[in-house]
């Protein structure tokens, strides 16, 4: 592979950025990863759900066994309304396993970043640099130079922005596009590409009372929904509250905002015995964030390209955000490898990557938004659907069966020949996924 003269700068060391580190390492492409936090392995934030699409990538990278040891499988979701009434189970995760051979798994951000970090060889880990907050980016037709606030300078032939919803890379792309005489207006992203309709509060607390490890519960009702994932030692809830009005402003939250949030919703049930207030009063960690939604129109400019939340942001209701970021990385690195092997321009590869991923991301973002609107009973129609349609087992199965072929067709790393693939369920994995090692949840 003719990649020895190329180096990639990755900005952002979360799960998506670390997936990029693995993919580039397997492709034999040099890289440096810059992370603004003091540690690559983070001990904060809510849990993540890794769907079969993400698990397939981890399997191909040889990480599934280690990941399984750090995560828990998901099955039936018990659903309640705000008064604690049973509104019918959801078996979407069960159908994932039936169709694709593996159940979704829930994992803490700490554990998923630990697995991705620790599984890299020591020589590769040395390329992961914490405490590197980017202050400026400069480009030439053949290179990208990144300067950090500590004065360090890093130069590569291309840059991957995996730095989240408030991406500095994305803002620099816009500034450089505005300053260029050759950038058409349609290629310039809006300053604030996302709309915030919901905010979230997450709480990690000791597993207690009638919460059983492995449980997954949801609480639905007007203006607020809760997802609860129960672990052996701690449980995590994500609460999604509709804002009085959507906004494109970046919102920040304080401890007083947390207290006010719990005052509004503290009596909502997580199970038969545990309420939000009880979870909060015994909390290990908690925080509040905005839930931005949207898809950025242009994912690249020059030799800079976006992946994950920097390019598109979902509400968490379907668990699709991180998984789509991982699939972004696979599609992007496949295009980069093809470009380097064929002597083609990487900017063309960036365009092919966006064309391959854009509609799937638009559809996924819309689906996540509908799921959150349904669970928060945005209007009478959504409430009716949630109470009388979603609970029907035949509807759940039909929905998952219709999505199964698209799920099975997500890309794999085309240049990894010795990876372990999932065996699959009723619906065979495309592009090599029918293959070599059977994995169970």
């Amino acid at each position: 592979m003719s990649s020895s003269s190329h180096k990639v700068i990755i900005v952002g060391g979360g799960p998506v950025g670390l997936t990029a580190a693995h993919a580039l390492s397997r492709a034999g492409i040099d890289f440096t990863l810059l992370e603004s936090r003091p540690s690559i392995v983070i001990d904060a934030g809510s849990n993540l759900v890794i769907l079969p699409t993400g698990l397939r990538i981890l399997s191909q990278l040889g990480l599934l066994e280690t990941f399984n040891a750090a995560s828990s499988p998901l099955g039936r979701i018990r659903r309640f309304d705000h008064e604690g009434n049973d509104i019918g189970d959801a078996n979407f995760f069960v159908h994932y396993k039936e169709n694709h051979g593996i159940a979704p798994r829930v994992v803490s951000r700490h554990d998923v970043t630990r697995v991705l970090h620790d599984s890299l060889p020591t020589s590769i880990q040395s390329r992961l640099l914490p405490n590197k907050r980017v202050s400026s980016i400069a480009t030439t037709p053949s290179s990208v130079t990144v300067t950090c606030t500590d004065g360090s300078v890093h130069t590569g032939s291309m840059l991957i922005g995996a730095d989240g919803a408030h991406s500095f890379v994305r803002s620099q792309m816009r500034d450089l596009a505005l300053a260029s005489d050759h950038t058409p207006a349609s290629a310039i992203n809006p300053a604030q590409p996302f709309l915030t309709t919901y905010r979230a509060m997450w709480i990690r607390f000791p597993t207690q009372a009638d919460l059983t490890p492995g449980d997954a519960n949801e609480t639905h009702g007007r203006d607020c929904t809760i997802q609860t994932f129960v672990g052996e030692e701690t449980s995590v809830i994500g609460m999604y509250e509709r804002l009085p009005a959507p906004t494109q402003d970046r919102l920040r939250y304080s401890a007083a905002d947390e207290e006010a949030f719990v005052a509004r919703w503290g009596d909502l049930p997580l199970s038969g015995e545990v309420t939000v207030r009880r979870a909060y009063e015994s909390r290990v960690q908690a925080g509040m964030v905005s839930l931005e939604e949207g898809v950025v129109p242009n994912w690249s400019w020059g030799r800079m390209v976006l992946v994950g939340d920097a390019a598109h942001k979902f509400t968490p209701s379907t668990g699709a955000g991180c998984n789509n970021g991982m699939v972004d990385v696979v599609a992007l690195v496949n295009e980069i490898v093809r470009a380097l092997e064929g002597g083609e321009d990487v900017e063309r590869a960036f365009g092919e990557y966006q064309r391959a991923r854009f509609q799937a991301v638009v559809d996924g973002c819309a689906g996540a938004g509908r799921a959150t609107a349904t669970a928060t009973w945005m209007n009478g129609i959504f409430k009716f659907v949630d109470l009388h349609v979603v609970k029907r087992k035949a509807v759940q199965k039909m929905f998952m069966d219709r999505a199964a072929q698209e799920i099975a067709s997500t890309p794999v790393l085309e240049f990894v020949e010795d990876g372990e693939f999932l065996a699959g369920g009723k619906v065979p994995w495309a592009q090599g996924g029918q293959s070599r090692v059977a994995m169970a949840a």
Side-chain angles (χ1 to χ4, degrees):
M1 184 179 301
S2 58
S3 58
S4 59
S5 62
H6 294 273
K7 181 175 183 178
V8 179
I9 307 297
I10 306 169
V11 178
V16 174
L18 288 171
T19 301
H22 274 272
L24 292 169
S25 177
R26 293 297 292 268
I29 299 173
D30 190 16
F31 71 89
T32 295
L33 184 148
L34 308 175
E35 167 55 43
S36 63
R37 296 173 185 265
S39 174
I40 300 295
V41 179
I42 59 174
D43 190 20
S46 185
N47 282 10
L48 297 171
V49 173
I50 306 301
L51 302 173
T53 48
L55 295 171
R56 188 187 188 203
I57 294 167
L58 294 174
S59 176
Q60 193 188 16
L61 293 170
L63 305 181
L64 189 60
E65 182 177 352
T66 305
F67 178 81
N68 283 352
S71 60
S72 302
L74 293 168
R76 179 191 67 161
I77 302 172
R78 299 175 61 203
R79 302 190 312 144
F80 311 96
D81 66 14
H82 283 187
E83 284 69 49
N85 300 310
D86 186 341
I87 60 172
D89 295 343
N91 290 311
F92 298 112
F93 295 151
V94 175
H95 293 307
Y96 266 121
K97 184 172 183 179
E98 291 173 352
N99 289 338
H100 306 292
I102 192 167
R105 302 184 72 90
V106 63
V107 65
S108 70
R109 290 178 185 269
H110 172 272
D111 285 342
V112 71
T113 53
R114 176 180 57 80
V115 168
L116 288 166
H117 172 273
D118 292 356
S119 57
L120 288 166
T122 303
S123 59
I124 302 297
Q125 289 182 18
S126 65
R127 304 179 194 175
L128 313 178
L129 307 180
N131 278 317
K132 296 293 182 182
R133 182 173 296 277
V134 177
S135 59
S136 67
I137 301 172
T139 67
T140 73
S142 60
S143 68
V144 180
T145 299
V146 175
T147 302
C148 297
T149 54
D150 63 1
S152 61
V153 178
H154 309 269
T155 299
S157 52
M158 64 193 89
L159 182 152
I160 297 175
D163 52 339
H166 303 290
S167 170
F168 182 79
V169 172
R170 188 180 65 235
S171 68
Q172 288 284 282
M173 283 172 48
R174 182 175 189 274
D175 290 346
L176 290 166
L178 286 169
S180 170
D181 296 331
H182 307 292
T183 305
S186 61
I188 299 174
N189 288 322
Q192 301 294 339
F194 300 142
L195 184 69
T196 301
T197 304
Y198 304 90
R199 59 186 156 213
M201 182 171 181
W202 59 272
I203 304 171
R204 186 179 301 277
F205 62 99
T207 297
Q208 56 194 265
D210 62 340
L211 293 173
T212 302
D215 281 355
N217 302 336
E218 291 190 357
T219 308
H220 292 196
R222 186 167 301 282
D223 294 335
C224 185
T225 184
I226 307 170
Q227 293 182 311
T228 304
F229 298 108
V230 184
E232 291 288 341
E233 298 181 358
T234 63
S235 301
V236 171
I237 64 172
M239 304 177 62
Y240 316 136
E241 179 189 48
R242 187 186 316 282
L243 294 173
T247 180
Q248 288 185 303
D249 295 336
R250 182 173 184 178
L251 305 176
R252 300 180 185 276
Y253 300 98
S254 65
D257 294 317
E258 291 183 14
E259 297 286 349
F261 196 106
V262 173
R264 288 193 297 277
W265 305 110
D267 292 334
L268 295 187
L270 309 181
S271 65
E273 299 179 17
V274 183
T275 63
V276 169
R277 183 171 286 104
R278 179 170 174 175
Y280 185 69
E281 289 174 350
S282 63
R283 66 191 180 279
V284 177
Q285 295 174 321
M288 285 184 68
V289 295
S290 293
L291 298 181
E292 301 88 351
E293 296 176 77
V295 181
V296 177
N298 303 289
W299 295 4
S300 63
W301 188 87
R303 289 183 164 259
M304 298 186 290
V305 64
L306 305 174
V307 293
D309 287 355
H312 46 75
K313 187 68 166 60
F314 298 7
T315 62
S317 294
T318 59
C322 179
N323 295 272
N324 271 280
M326 295 169 73
V327 176
D328 286 349
V329 166
V330 169
L332 173 61
V333 176
N334 281 341
E335 293 294 344
I336 290 173
V337 168
R338 276 196 287 270
L340 297 185
E341 287 181 337
E344 298 177 0
D345 189 347
V346 295
E347 293 183 29
R348 182 178 180 278
F350 294 166
E352 291 298 322
Y353 149 66
Q354 178 171 343
R355 279 186 284 276
R357 291 288 299 140
F358 194 79
Q359 191 58 52
V361 164
V362 168
D363 293 344
C365 183
R370 285 193 297 272
T372 308
T374 302
T376 56
W377 298 0
M378 187 174 73
N379 56 37
I381 295 174
F382 282 107
K383 179 179 179 180
F384 178 86
V385 169
D386 195 43
L387 294 179
H388 303 292
V389 179
V390 173
K391 72 176 183 180
R392 296 183 180 275
K393 301 299 185 286
V395 171
Q396 296 173 21
K397 185 176 186 302
M398 179 184 68
F399 178 84
M400 294 304 294
D401 286 350
R402 285 183 174 180
Q405 194 57 58
E406 182 177 353
I407 292 168
S409 299
T410 52
V412 292
L413 293 167
E414 298 167 358
F415 50 86
V416 176
E417 298 179 355
D418 59 346
E420 298 175 345
F421 289 91
L422 299 178
K426 294 189 304 182
V427 181
W429 290 103
Q431 300 182 40
Q434 68 273 12
S435 69
R436 303 188 279 270
V437 176
M439 297 282 184

